[in-house]
Amino acid sequence: MDGDDRRAPLLGAGGRAPSLRRRDSARSLRSSFLSRLPDKVRAALDPERTADVDLGRAKGLSQGEREYYEKQLATLRTFEEVEARCMPGEFESDEADHGAFEDKEQKQSEFAMKISNYANIVLLVFKVYATIRTGSMAIAASTLDSLLDFMAGGILWFTHLSMKRVNIYKYPIGKLRVQPVGIIVFAAIMATLGFQVLVTAVEQLVENKPGEKMTSEQLIWLYSIMLSATAVKLALWLYCKSSGNSIVRAYAKDHYFDVITNVVGLVAAVLGDKFLWWIDPAGAVLLAVYTIVNWSKTVLENAVTLVGRCAPQEMLQMLTYLAMKHDTRVKRVDTVRAYSFGALYFVEVDIELSEDMRLREAHTIGETLQEKIEKLPEVERAFVHIDFESTHKPEHKVRSRLPATDP
């Protein structure tokens, strides 16, 4: 591409901005996009499968260019997925399979939570014994972590059960928001634990009082219990980390954290006993700081989902494309909003239809679009607003303050 061609839109024609027609499929958009790629990007095309683009094979691309083309290709793939979802009869035919898959995943999630809770109870008992036998501050920190694991596991299990039992008269839109709230409580407890251990370890360092040396028998118990606990937690982490359930992933994060604390605690306890006594409380300080930072991030991540953060740009593009391709009678897509309301998103779409269209026809178009959007796994609820023009002011105002209340 030479001269002004480099400035021309890849999906456009001539010097005009690209326009997306309803008869254009995602496949035709991809073909048009690939045909207008510059030579240095075209080298990444697979001669036998032109739909596959491996930008790793392209030479001379800057980091910014590579990111741009990867983003465009990801958008086209998203459009293709949207078209697949919009094929007639696809939702109905997949409904039973999707329900069976969800039931299977639900059972796997419950099993993961149960074995995690049982393991936490057993490991807590053994760690308490190890702490009593060794008197190690680092092992005590790891034991307190296991105690909090047991308590927090109960919180997450209660959260899971609470989400399953829904009274639609008390909770008309369900109780999915219990999930991030439960995770926030869980993470807050873990961060509090870290602060408590930090204070205790610093006090021991300030007092400058070395503890007693461990006997051979105590060391054997220490190695046996801590290494066994680490192996169990590592296995649980590997089992839970791939789950699609956010609560199970919270368990997985805790299991991974336990592997770290067990290893650091064991190393600090042994080095503190063999060489310098202050290594033991210093290891406890490191574990405490790691605990506070790690779980504070978890609190912030889940808190943000409850305050209505906007969905990623890629999702807004997908929703816009879905609304535009939904029906040929949709004259214009006026507004697309998606914002977090817990783990999933609420979506608002405004579409313009002919002002002469009958109510039954307009309602059917809006309702079927709502159903399509709510089939997306990221979406909890969708609201479709139908209008006959798009020059009006926004229907809703954004409040910046709470209304005054009577004292």
Side-chain angles (χ1 to χ4, degrees):
M1 300 176 69
D2 299 323
D4 293 337
D5 287 344
R6 294 184 179 182
R7 299 180 181 274
L10 288 175
L11 297 181
R16 295 178 300 172
S19 60
L20 189 60
R21 298 164 296 181
R22 285 189 176 83
R23 66 175 180 270
D24 289 332
S25 66
R27 187 179 297 275
S28 65
L29 290 175
R30 173 185 279 271
S31 299
S32 176
F33 177 76
L34 296 179
S35 67
R36 298 176 64 83
L37 289 173
D39 293 337
K40 59 182 178 181
V41 181
R42 197 183 300 275
L45 291 174
D46 188 330
E48 298 182 358
R49 294 186 299 174
T50 56
D52 295 335
V53 180
D54 181 11
L55 293 179
R57 298 168 52 188
K59 297 181 180 180
L61 284 180
S62 66
Q63 182 65 25
E65 289 175 322
R66 190 182 304 277
E67 291 177 356
Y68 167 77
Y69 288 116
E70 287 177 348
K71 186 174 182 179
Q72 300 306 309
L73 290 168
T75 300
L76 288 172
R77 284 193 293 270
T78 300
F79 288 172
E80 291 172 349
E81 293 174 3
V82 168
E83 286 193 356
R85 290 180 181 275
C86 294
M87 291 174 61
E90 174 169 321
F91 290 147
E92 291 77 7
S93 62
D94 286 349
E95 192 71 33
D97 293 339
H98 182 68
F101 173 78
E102 284 192 339
D103 290 341
K104 181 179 179 181
E105 187 175 17
Q106 179 78 3
K107 291 180 180 179
Q108 291 177 342
S109 298
E110 291 186 354
F111 177 73
M113 284 184 269
K114 285 181 179 179
I115 61 173
S116 295
N117 288 333
Y118 294 151
N120 285 337
I121 295 173
V122 174
L123 294 179
L124 174 61
V125 173
F126 281 106
K127 282 189 177 182
V128 168
Y129 182 77
T131 301
I132 295 173
R133 292 298 300 266
T134 62
S136 167
M137 187 64 204
I139 300 301
S142 181
T143 303
L144 285 176
D145 175 56
S146 293
L147 175 61
L148 266 292
D149 285 349
F150 172 68
M151 296 172 58
I155 293 173
L156 292 181
W157 181 249
F158 171 78
T159 298
H160 173 72
L161 295 179
S162 178
M163 288 170 55
K164 291 176 63 178
R165 294 192 292 264
V166 179
N167 184 335
I168 61 172
Y169 299 104
K170 288 186 176 181
Y171 303 95
I173 61 172
K175 298 166 68 176
L176 291 183
R177 275 139 300 282
V178 172
Q179 177 173 295
V181 171
I183 294 175
I184 288 173
V185 173
F186 176 88
I189 291 176
M190 297 299 292
T192 303
L193 158 73
F195 183 76
Q196 181 62 42
V197 172
L198 176 64
V199 171
T200 305
V202 170
E203 287 179 351
Q204 185 172 347
L205 286 172
V206 171
E207 291 175 358
N208 195 21
K209 293 181 179 179
E212 297 181 358
K213 296 287 185 179
M214 286 186 282
T215 64
S216 299
E217 182 183 359
Q218 288 175 324
L219 286 173
I220 292 174
W221 275 105
L222 176 65
Y223 283 122
S224 301
I225 293 175
M226 297 304 293
L227 291 178
S228 298
T230 302
V232 171
K233 285 292 186 175
L234 181 60
L236 289 173
W237 171 66
L238 293 173
Y239 182 77
C240 295
K241 70 173 185 175
S242 59
S243 174
N245 187 300
S246 297
I247 294 180
V248 177
R249 288 200 300 270
Y251 273 104
K253 187 173 184 178
D254 177 57
H255 295 323
Y256 176 78
F257 174 74
D258 285 344
V259 172
I260 301 297
T261 58
N262 289 342
V263 171
V264 174
L266 177 60
V267 171
V270 172
L271 293 180
D273 182 71
K274 295 292 184 181
F275 301 102
L276 300 173
W277 70 269
W278 53 263
I279 295 179
D280 184 26
V285 170
L286 291 177
L287 290 178
V289 172
Y290 179 79
T291 301
I292 295 171
V293 173
N294 190 50
W295 290 103
S296 295
K297 289 181 180 179
T298 301
V299 170
L300 294 176
E301 290 171 1
N302 284 273
V304 167
T305 66
L306 295 172
V307 297
R309 182 175 59 180
C310 182
Q313 186 67 29
E314 293 78 12
M315 183 174 179
L316 296 177
Q317 289 177 340
M318 176 182 65
L319 292 168
T320 303
Y321 186 77
L322 173 57
M324 191 197 67
K325 298 284 287 185
H326 170 61
D327 195 291
T328 57
R329 291 166 292 182
V330 176
K331 298 173 63 177
R332 185 179 287 105
V333 178
D334 183 18
T335 305
V336 175
R337 296 187 185 93
Y339 46 89
S340 62
F341 197 59
L344 302 178
Y345 291 100
F346 274 26
V347 175
E348 298 178 10
V349 176
D350 294 1
I351 58 175
E352 180 184 341
L353 301 177
S354 172
E355 60 181 311
D356 300 323
M357 185 176 292
R358 297 178 61 185
L359 176 60
R360 178 192 295 270
E361 191 177 1
H363 174 268
T364 300
I365 293 174
E367 186 176 40
T368 51
L369 176 57
Q370 171 196 316
E371 292 172 351
K372 284 182 179 180
I373 295 175
E374 289 183 348
K375 290 293 183 180
L376 297 174
E378 306 92 342
V379 177
E380 180 178 353
R381 283 212 169 191
F383 304 92
V384 178
H385 174 72
I386 299 172
D387 214 326
F388 61 90
E389 52 85 27
S390 58
T391 59
H392 56 273
K393 294 181 179 179
E395 286 82 4
H396 303 284
K397 295 188 296 183
V398 178
R399 287 183 177 269
S400 59
R401 65 183 65 182
L402 294 173
T405 57
D406 295 332

